[in-house]
C-alpha cells in the first residue's frame, strides 16, 4: 500500500493483472485520485461472471465497500463515505484463443476512453510480465544462496546483471 500511495496522483494509471486484484485496491487507488485498469479473476468475481454471460462489451457497475475493506483502508489512512459505492466500468477483452478477459477500470468516460483501446493498453504489460517470469523462473531469483541480507542482495544484483548480459548478447546476435 505504501508503494502505491507514494506513486499515485491524478496522472497515474495503475495497470494490474488478475493476481493483483484485491477487493480493496480499486477503493484505495480511487481515494488517491489515481486511475486503474485491473484484470479481474472472472471465476472469483460474481459481477464479472454476470457481465461475461451478458455478452456485452462494457458496462458500469457499483461496488459497495464491505466493512473489512473499509477497516483495511482506514488503517492506511484512507477515509471515504461508506454509503457511496465505487462506480467502475467492466470491459470485455476477447483473446485470439477465444478466452474472455474482464478488465475493471475507473476510466468511465467512453468517449475519452473507447472500449477498443483497452485490449491494446492491457497488452502493453505483457513484456513486463515476461521479464518477471524470466527473472523468477530462469534465474531462480527467489532461490538465495544465503540467509543474510547481504547475500540476498548480492544474489539479486548478480541475477539482474546476468539477465542484462544475456539480453545484451542475444540482442547483438539478432540479424
Amino acid at each position: 500500500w505504501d508503494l502505491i500511495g507514494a506513486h499515485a496522483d491524478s496522472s497515474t494509471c495503475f495497470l494490474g493483472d488478475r493476481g493483483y486484484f484485491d477487493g480493496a485496491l480499486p477503493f484505495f487507488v480511487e481515494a488517491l485520485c489515481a486511475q486503474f485498469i485491473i484484470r479481474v479473476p472472472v471465476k472469483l468475481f460474481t459481477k464479472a461472471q454476470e457481465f461475461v454471460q451478458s455478452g456485452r462489451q462494457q458496462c458500469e457497475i457499483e461496488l459497495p465497500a464491505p466493512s473489512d475493506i473499509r477497516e483495511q483502508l482506514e488503517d492506511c489512512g484512507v477515509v471515504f463515505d461508506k454509503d457511496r459505492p465505487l462506480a467502475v466500468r467492466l470491459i470485455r477483452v476477447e483473446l485470439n484463443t477465444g478466452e474472455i478477459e474482464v478488465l475493471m477500470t475507473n476510466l468511465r468516460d467512453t468517449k475519452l476512453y473507447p472500449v477498443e483501446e483497452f485490449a491494446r493498453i492491457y497488452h502493453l504489460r505483457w513484456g513486463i510480465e515476461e521479464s518477471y517470469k524470466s527473472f523468477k523462473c530462469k534465474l531462480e531469483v527467489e532461490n538465495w544462496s544465503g540467509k543474510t541480507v547481504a547475500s540476498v542482495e548480492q544474489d539479486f544484483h548478480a541475477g539482474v546483471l546476468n539477465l542484462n548480459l544475456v539480453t545484451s548478447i542475444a540482442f547483438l546476435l539478432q540479424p
Side-chain angles (χ1 to χ4, degrees):
W1 296 109
D2 291 339
L3 183 62
I4 292 172
H7 296 283
D9 62 33
S10 62
S11 67
T12 306
C13 184
F14 290 97
L15 187 59
D17 198 12
R18 66 181 170 206
Y20 295 98
F21 181 74
D22 173 311
L25 185 61
F27 291 94
F28 186 66
V29 174
E30 176 81 9
L32 297 170
C33 299
Q35 291 76 43
F36 62 85
I37 303 170
I38 303 171
R39 180 176 166 199
V40 297
V42 175
K43 292 180 182 176
L44 302 176
F45 189 51
T46 307
K47 291 188 184 229
Q49 291 172 12
E50 293 167 358
F51 169 65
V52 168
Q53 291 170 355
S54 76
R56 298 187 322 195
Q57 279 297 107
Q58 62 183 332
C59 75
E60 282 199 26
I61 62 170
E62 291 187 339
L63 300 175
S67 60
D68 60 327
I69 288 177
R70 287 196 312 266
E71 289 172 15
Q72 183 180 357
L73 293 173
E74 287 169 2
D75 288 345
C76 296
V78 176
V79 181
F80 57 92
D81 183 357
K82 67 179 181 179
D83 297 323
R84 187 177 145 252
L86 175 64
V88 296
R89 182 175 166 199
L90 297 181
I91 298 170
R92 173 190 299 263
V93 175
E94 196 160 336
L95 303 179
N96 296 338
T97 62
E99 181 183 351
I100 296 171
E101 295 180 342
V102 176
L103 303 179
M104 176 191 294
T105 183
N106 59 348
L107 299 170
R108 296 182 1 243
D109 185 335
T110 58
K111 287 188 172 62
L112 193 56
Y113 308 106
V115 71
E116 299 81 23
E117 291 296 313
F118 282 88
R120 185 185 64 78
I121 290 169
Y122 188 70
H123 185 72
L124 291 174
R125 57 160 260 299
W126 191 248
I128 296 167
E129 292 290 332
E130 286 300 309
S131 293
Y132 280 128
K133 185 168 94 177
S134 293
F135 200 61
K136 288 176 71 177
C137 299
K138 293 178 184 171
L139 293 178
E140 296 183 2
V141 76
E142 295 172 336
N143 187 11
W144 313 116
S145 64
K147 294 183 181 182
T148 66
V149 171
S151 67
V152 170
E153 287 177 350
Q154 184 176 353
D155 285 351
F156 176 82
H157 292 293
V160 171
L161 176 63
N162 188 12
L163 188 59
N164 286 336
L165 289 172
V166 169
T167 302
S168 297
I169 292 168
F171 179 76
L172 292 171
L173 296 175
Q174 299 276 330

